[in-house]
Amino acid sequence: MQSTIFRFFKIALCKCVWNFIRLSSRRLCKTNGGIGIGIIFADKEFQALIFQRQKETKDMRLGLIRPDFPGERRVALLPQDMRTSENHLVIDEKFGDTLGIPPDEYRRRGAQIATRQEVFSSCDAIFSLKLIQPEDYRHLRKGQLIIGWTHPHEAPSAEFMQIAKELALTVVDIDNISPTVTFNGQTCKIPFIPRDFLWKNSFYAGVASVQHALLSWGKLPEPATRVAVLSSGNVAQGGYWAISKFTSDIRMFYRKTMSEFLAELPSFDIVINGIETFPHSNHVISRDELKRAKPGCLFIDASADAGGTIEGTHYTSLLNPVYWENGHCFYEVPNSPSFYFQTVSSYLSPILSHYFFMPDVRRFLDLRDWYCRTSFKPMKIARHKMRRNSGRPVEILENVSLA
């Protein structure tokens, strides 16, 4: 009995100490280049490196390029959200074209305007809202810092991440749930960017996916149309909000009720997915289960988890958003928020300005260097919450969307 009480108090004390360190780290993150309390315990050589960076008067050259991802029209930074930046901003001359923003608007607020190639060749860090495409690989320089929705552990990013390893690029992923820094195959979380800092972009992904899919499907839902929504995260909530304008016969399914969804699958006219699986081999809906779906059923993958949640699916685009296979219609657009690019740009710009464009981007390099000098193991990308599904375990990540 005595040993049990002692063990209880020991665990409680350890938790208190850990919470104190964690909260202290969050406070220090704002003033110590983003690496928090790690500086205090770092070796003297590393401390000197960090403080030398902080004393440097030369601003980092941060280049903002217009993403060349197919159909991408969002603008990550609007002129009205530009304040005094700790970086020297160099902006692609075509950066604001989709919103009709002339380069002079950025120049008047202190940014330098350059051609796309000049941005790559002259800047230490590059921001591209969506993943850099193969046409720009030749412009990348060794040791650059790349920031954006890079999704380093997703299949579409595999080629880029191989280039990043060869060129020793530091890759920052602005994922809404878990923003990370990846360097030389190792990944660490960013402690100074809060969870869900871009939650509404995911909500817009759900809204845009449903509305765009219905237009492409060519059929308006009726009050009797039965709808299943998988997950209750930001993407799923947006999808629920959009589809609820047409029908009230909607049911949301969670981890604990996924087996009930599969049992009722033949009764649904529309299935909206807000789940991303990891790894992709752990499907929620297999090819065999798809055969049981109602003929003409519309599958809207608002999380853009092609080939993951629903086995055998592949990406589509804003220009060709749906395809038919075995009597079912599939929507798999990976950048659906771009459908409402004006609204989403107005939402993204002040937030990205606050966390990425105005503060010194050297803090990401400080975090990388601190992480590389510790003995911590690389972070686990998947949350290992397993559930049984048709006799096999499935790892499910909710709230995740390829932005």
Side-chain angles (χ1 to χ4, degrees), residues 233-368:
N234 299 323
V235 174
Q237 289 177 36
Y240 186 99
W241 180 88
I243 200 66
S244 65
K245 310 305 176 187
F246 302 96
T247 177
S248 59
D249 193 355
I250 310 169
R251 184 172 176 190
M252 299 189 81
F253 293 91
Y254 318 97
R255 292 185 179 95
K256 294 182 180 179
T257 58
M258 205 56 65
S259 58
E260 296 177 33
F261 159 71
L262 291 173
E264 296 184 38
L265 176 59
S267 68
F268 292 111
D269 303 288
I270 299 174
V271 176
I272 302 171
N273 175 50
I275 295 173
E276 184 176 359
T277 57
F278 187 89
H280 268 188
S281 57
N282 290 333
H283 312 293
V284 174
I285 306 174
S286 67
R287 291 183 187 274
D288 290 337
E289 287 152 352
L290 273 176
K291 294 176 182 177
R292 299 173 47 244
K294 180 182 290 188
C297 180
L298 172 62
F299 289 89
I300 306 173
D301 191 357
S303 72
D305 186 39
T309 306
I310 306 172
E311 184 179 9
T313 55
H314 59 78
Y315 286 117
T316 56
S317 67
L318 287 173
L319 293 178
N320 297 291
V322 299
Y323 67 92
W324 288 82
E325 187 172 282
N326 298 325
H328 304 129
C329 186
F330 298 92
Y331 178 92
E332 284 281 1
V333 175
N335 58 331
S336 58
S338 192
F339 193 70
Y340 292 118
F341 60 97
Q342 292 195 56
T343 298
V344 180
S345 295
S346 298
Y347 167 72
L348 292 176
S349 176
I351 300 174
L352 294 176
S353 176
H354 176 74
Y355 287 110
F356 295 95
F357 305 139
M358 299 305 114
D360 192 340
V361 292
R362 279 177 289 204
R363 60 187 185 152
F364 297 113
L365 301 178
D366 294 344
L367 176 63
R368 176 204 68 188

Side-chain angles (χ1 to χ4, degrees), residues 176-177 196 199-211 227-244 250-255 258 270-276 300-304 336 396-402:
N176 176 55
I177 299 299
D196 268 347
W199 73 270
K200 209 166 187 178
N201 183 78
S202 300
F203 183 87
Y204 287 138
V207 174
S209 294
V210 168
Q211 295 179 343
V227 180
V229 180
L230 309 186
S231 167
S232 59
N234 299 323
V235 174
Q237 289 177 36
Y240 186 99
W241 180 88
I243 200 66
S244 65
I250 310 169
R251 184 172 176 190
M252 299 189 81
F253 293 91
Y254 318 97
R255 292 185 179 95
M258 205 56 65
I270 299 174
V271 176
I272 302 171
N273 175 50
I275 295 173
E276 184 176 359
I300 306 173
D301 191 357
S303 72
S336 58
I396 297 177
L397 289 177
E398 298 195 9
N399 303 343
V400 182
S401 171
L402 278 178

Side-chain angles (χ1 to χ4, degrees), residues 3-22:
S3 62
T4 303
I5 295 175
F6 176 75
R7 191 181 304 113
F8 171 79
F9 281 109
K10 184 170 70 173
I11 293 172
L13 178 62
C14 289
K15 285 185 177 180
C16 289
V17 171
W18 168 246
N19 285 331
F20 171 77
I21 293 175
R22 181 171 57 85

